[in-house]
Amino acid sequence: FSDKLQDINAVFGDVEIKTIVKNLFGQQMQKRIDYEVSNFANNGRMRTEGWGRFFNRLRSNYAVSVLALKPALAIKQFTSFPAYWENMSAKDFVAGLADFAMHYREAVETLGNTTLMKTRDVNIIRDLEELSKTDLIKNKAKNINLRELMMANIRMGDRFTIYSGGWALYKSELKKNLKAGMNEAAAKAKALDTFERVTDETQQSGRMSQQSYWQSNAFLRAFTMFQSSQNQYLRKEINALRGVFTGRMSKKQAAKTIFIYHFLLPMFFQFVADGFRWDDEAQLRAGFFGSFNGIFILNQALEGLWDATVGGKGTYGLGLRVRDAIPFEGSIEDIIKEVMKMAEDDLDMEDWIEVLQKFGKSSGEVLGVPVKYPLDIINNFGDYAKAGEPGKEIMLWLGWSPYALRDFEDE
């Protein structure tokens, strides 16, 4: 790491190189290069002191409160596996998925031993081992981190997506390499390199190489929460268009890439998010927005345009609130609002229950405690089963919200 950093500083710190960059690309490009080099030198931890650290903690706590525990999140993460299809034929992709189902142990062992997977937070093999130990029940602090345990659903969904789609890619690349005359060892090594590169480009990642400027800044990162996938998809679309203009990519391949990242993946996610139900308007909306949801301000502008036209409001308005841009700011607003309500004199028991639930939900979002998920189950327990919809009852327990399980016909 230090050797590479010295080489980078030697090149980009050279006065002559800096002058060339400024003359060809401008002062702003030089500032961006300096920022990225400094960020790399600090391993992505720059500008996190004081208020930056406080912002990071709030952002992290909010993410845990929203994502933790829900098995539904692991299932929703699986919707990104078609991204691997971009790099192979549909026939090879389907064959690879079938092979994964029959040889999943081999797939986990092979792909799990790559540098990428070993450094991707926690190796799934170790996850499974820890979950099977009685130490987990005994809650020994030295072996178990409660927050990591609550987020096990995210890690499992992430790994299953990568291993299934990644194995299809690995098998396709291995076949292609062997057909090109490479020996088995070289063919496997190259296939694994391709797997690591594609996974880093298409699956959610905390690596600095996959972070935009906004995502690498402690303050600006708050504006891009839950948008890492859309940002990656947008980069893939832009690269496809560039590839066509520069002749590095065929029009057919570019069309396939744009179809996957702008239409297939967002619409597939929407289908699963809606409880595996197809809603024409929701799907049309997902296809319209696509990866543009990852662009700050533009996503709100497009949403306003959608509501004014397809949504039937008839008038256009950006209507961007701070809580829309920074989710945890809305939680702080709600805490203050509910505390003010507690001071009112005319609250009956039903009002108190409602106020305390809203206060608990918002407080959980600030403190990193998943309150909304159990509250949804408590408040709607048995309702779907009584209505003759046991499937929705199961999905409620798995983590789908009552809003996601609503009847489209009632809207």
Side-chain angles (χ1 to χ4, degrees), residues 120-132:
R120 194 175 173 85
D121 296 331
V122 182
N123 194 309
I124 192 172
I125 298 173
R126 200 188 86 184
D127 286 345
L128 294 173
E129 287 175 352
E130 289 298 325
L131 288 172
S132 65

PDB file of all heavy atoms in Angstrom, residues 120-132:
ATOM      1  N   ARG A 120     -14.592  -8.265   1.434  1.00  0.00           N
ATOM      2  CA  ARG A 120     -15.917  -7.642   1.312  1.00  0.00           C
ATOM      3  C   ARG A 120     -16.634  -7.757   2.656  1.00  0.00           C
ATOM      4  O   ARG A 120     -17.509  -8.589   2.838  1.00  0.00           O
ATOM      5  CB  ARG A 120     -16.711  -8.321   0.201  1.00  0.00           C
ATOM      6  CG  ARG A 120     -17.946  -7.535  -0.227  1.00  0.00           C
ATOM      7  CD  ARG A 120     -18.609  -8.204  -1.404  1.00  0.00           C
ATOM      8  NE  ARG A 120     -19.865  -7.599  -1.745  1.00  0.00           N
ATOM      9  CZ  ARG A 120     -20.023  -6.543  -2.533  1.00  0.00           C
ATOM     10  NH1 ARG A 120     -18.967  -5.973  -3.063  1.00  0.00           N
ATOM     11  NH2 ARG A 120     -21.225  -6.063  -2.793  1.00  0.00           N
ATOM     12  N   ASP A 121     -16.223  -6.922   3.609  1.00  0.00           N
ATOM     13  CA  ASP A 121     -16.737  -6.913   4.978  1.00  0.00           C
ATOM     14  C   ASP A 121     -16.439  -8.232   5.672  1.00  0.00           C
ATOM     15  O   ASP A 121     -15.446  -8.373   6.314  1.00  0.00           O
ATOM     16  CB  ASP A 121     -18.243  -6.607   5.003  1.00  0.00           C
ATOM     17  CG  ASP A 121     -18.534  -5.215   4.474  1.00  0.00           C
ATOM     18  OD1 ASP A 121     -17.668  -4.345   4.617  1.00  0.00           O
ATOM     19  OD2 ASP A 121     -19.620  -5.019   3.909  1.00  0.00           O
ATOM     20  N   VAL A 122     -17.346  -9.227   5.530  1.00  0.00           N
ATOM     21  CA  VAL A 122     -17.170 -10.508   6.210  1.00  0.00           C
ATOM     22  C   VAL A 122     -17.415 -11.635   5.221  1.00  0.00           C
ATOM     23  O   VAL A 122     -18.374 -11.607   4.464  1.00  0.00           O
ATOM     24  CB  VAL A 122     -18.158 -10.651   7.404  1.00  0.00           C
ATOM     25  CG1 VAL A 122     -17.935 -11.969   8.121  1.00  0.00           C
ATOM     26  CG2 VAL A 122     -17.978  -9.494   8.382  1.00  0.00           C
ATOM     27  N   ASN A 123     -16.549 -12.622   5.236  1.00  0.00           N
ATOM     28  CA  ASN A 123     -16.699 -13.761   4.332  1.00  0.00           C
ATOM     29  C   ASN A 123     -17.928 -14.572   4.719  1.00  0.00           C
ATOM     30  O   ASN A 123     -18.148 -14.859   5.897  1.00  0.00           O
ATOM     31  CB  ASN A 123     -15.448 -14.639   4.415  1.00  0.00           C
ATOM     32  CG  ASN A 123     -15.363 -15.640   3.283  1.00  0.00           C
ATOM     33  OD1 ASN A 123     -16.309 -16.356   3.024  1.00  0.00           O
ATOM     34  ND2 ASN A 123     -14.222 -15.673   2.636  1.00  0.00           N
ATOM     35  N   ILE A 124     -18.728 -14.957   3.736  1.00  0.00           N
ATOM     36  CA  ILE A 124     -19.961 -15.692   4.026  1.00  0.00           C
ATOM     37  C   ILE A 124     -19.687 -17.023   4.719  1.00  0.00           C
ATOM     38  O   ILE A 124     -20.478 -17.498   5.537  1.00  0.00           O
ATOM     39  CB  ILE A 124     -20.785 -15.934   2.731  1.00  0.00           C
ATOM     40  CG1 ILE A 124     -22.182 -16.435   3.082  1.00  0.00           C
ATOM     41  CG2 ILE A 124     -20.073 -16.891   1.805  1.00  0.00           C
ATOM     42  CD1 ILE A 124     -23.116 -16.530   1.908  1.00  0.00           C
ATOM     43  N   ILE A 125     -18.547 -17.645   4.425  1.00  0.00           N
ATOM     44  CA  ILE A 125     -18.228 -18.922   5.061  1.00  0.00           C
ATOM     45  C   ILE A 125     -18.075 -18.717   6.562  1.00  0.00           C
ATOM     46  O   ILE A 125     -18.580 -19.500   7.368  1.00  0.00           O
ATOM     47  CB  ILE A 125     -16.929 -19.512   4.459  1.00  0.00           C
ATOM     48  CG1 ILE A 125     -17.132 -19.772   2.956  1.00  0.00           C
ATOM     49  CG2 ILE A 125     -16.523 -20.790   5.160  1.00  0.00           C
ATOM     50  CD1 ILE A 125     -15.866 -20.202   2.244  1.00  0.00           C
ATOM     51  N   ARG A 126     -17.417 -17.619   6.952  1.00  0.00           N
ATOM     52  CA  ARG A 126     -17.270 -17.328   8.368  1.00  0.00           C
ATOM     53  C   ARG A 126     -18.610 -16.955   8.982  1.00  0.00           C
ATOM     54  O   ARG A 126     -18.908 -17.294  10.135  1.00  0.00           O
ATOM     55  CB  ARG A 126     -16.277 -16.178   8.566  1.00  0.00           C
ATOM     56  CG  ARG A 126     -15.704 -16.147   9.975  1.00  0.00           C
ATOM     57  CD  ARG A 126     -14.891 -14.894  10.208  1.00  0.00           C
ATOM     58  NE  ARG A 126     -15.763 -13.804  10.630  1.00  0.00           N
ATOM     59  CZ  ARG A 126     -15.317 -12.567  10.832  1.00  0.00           C
ATOM     60  NH1 ARG A 126     -14.064 -12.269  10.604  1.00  0.00           N
ATOM     61  NH2 ARG A 126     -16.141 -11.618  11.230  1.00  0.00           N
ATOM     62  N   ASP A 127     -19.469 -16.248   8.212  1.00  0.00           N
ATOM     63  CA  ASP A 127     -20.809 -15.919   8.696  1.00  0.00           C
ATOM     64  C   ASP A 127     -21.554 -17.177   9.101  1.00  0.00           C
ATOM     65  O   ASP A 127     -22.135 -17.275  10.180  1.00  0.00           O
ATOM     66  CB  ASP A 127     -21.624 -15.201   7.611  1.00  0.00           C
ATOM     67  CG  ASP A 127     -21.180 -13.758   7.412  1.00  0.00           C
ATOM     68  OD1 ASP A 127     -20.462 -13.254   8.288  1.00  0.00           O
ATOM     69  OD2 ASP A 127     -21.541 -13.175   6.393  1.00  0.00           O
ATOM     70  N   LEU A 128     -21.559 -18.155   8.198  1.00  0.00           N
ATOM     71  CA  LEU A 128     -22.298 -19.388   8.444  1.00  0.00           C
ATOM     72  C   LEU A 128     -21.716 -20.141   9.626  1.00  0.00           C
ATOM     73  O   LEU A 128     -22.447 -20.741  10.413  1.00  0.00           O
ATOM     74  CB  LEU A 128     -22.285 -20.261   7.186  1.00  0.00           C
ATOM     75  CG  LEU A 128     -23.042 -19.681   5.993  1.00  0.00           C
ATOM     76  CD1 LEU A 128     -22.828 -20.539   4.749  1.00  0.00           C
ATOM     77  CD2 LEU A 128     -24.528 -19.579   6.294  1.00  0.00           C
ATOM     78  N   GLU A 129     -20.400 -20.129   9.748  1.00  0.00           N
ATOM     79  CA  GLU A 129     -19.771 -20.810  10.872  1.00  0.00           C
ATOM     80  C   GLU A 129     -20.165 -20.154  12.191  1.00  0.00           C
ATOM     81  O   GLU A 129     -20.495 -20.827  13.165  1.00  0.00           O
ATOM     82  CB  GLU A 129     -18.246 -20.777  10.714  1.00  0.00           C
ATOM     83  CG  GLU A 129     -17.733 -21.713   9.618  1.00  0.00           C
ATOM     84  CD  GLU A 129     -16.243 -21.578   9.409  1.00  0.00           C
ATOM     85  OE1 GLU A 129     -15.645 -20.648  10.007  1.00  0.00           O
ATOM     86  OE2 GLU A 129     -15.676 -22.387   8.663  1.00  0.00           O
ATOM     87  N   GLU A 130     -20.150 -18.795  12.217  1.00  0.00           N
ATOM     88  CA  GLU A 130     -20.497 -18.079  13.437  1.00  0.00           C
ATOM     89  C   GLU A 130     -21.953 -18.314  13.818  1.00  0.00           C
ATOM     90  O   GLU A 130     -22.290 -18.470  14.982  1.00  0.00           O
ATOM     91  CB  GLU A 130     -20.233 -16.574  13.278  1.00  0.00           C
ATOM     92  CG  GLU A 130     -18.756 -16.206  13.229  1.00  0.00           C
ATOM     93  CD  GLU A 130     -18.040 -16.567  14.515  1.00  0.00           C
ATOM     94  OE1 GLU A 130     -18.651 -16.458  15.596  1.00  0.00           O
ATOM     95  OE2 GLU A 130     -16.880 -16.982  14.456  1.00  0.00           O
ATOM     96  N   LEU A 131     -22.823 -18.312  12.806  1.00  0.00           N
ATOM     97  CA  LEU A 131     -24.243 -18.494  13.083  1.00  0.00           C
ATOM     98  C   LEU A 131     -24.551 -19.885  13.620  1.00  0.00           C
ATOM     99  O   LEU A 131     -25.558 -20.094  14.287  1.00  0.00           O
ATOM    100  CB  LEU A 131     -25.067 -18.239  11.805  1.00  0.00           C
ATOM    101  CG  LEU A 131     -25.158 -16.780  11.374  1.00  0.00           C
ATOM    102  CD1 LEU A 131     -25.816 -16.684  10.005  1.00  0.00           C
ATOM    103  CD2 LEU A 131     -25.952 -15.969  12.380  1.00  0.00           C
ATOM    104  N   SER A 132     -23.674 -20.850  13.341  1.00  0.00           N
ATOM    105  CA  SER A 132     -23.922 -22.218  13.776  1.00  0.00           C
ATOM    106  C   SER A 132     -23.324 -22.511  15.148  1.00  0.00           C
ATOM    107  O   SER A 132     -23.538 -23.576  15.707  1.00  0.00           O
ATOM    108  CB  SER A 132     -23.327 -23.206  12.756  1.00  0.00           C
ATOM    109  OG  SER A 132     -21.913 -23.083  12.721  1.00  0.00           O
TER     110      SER A 132
END
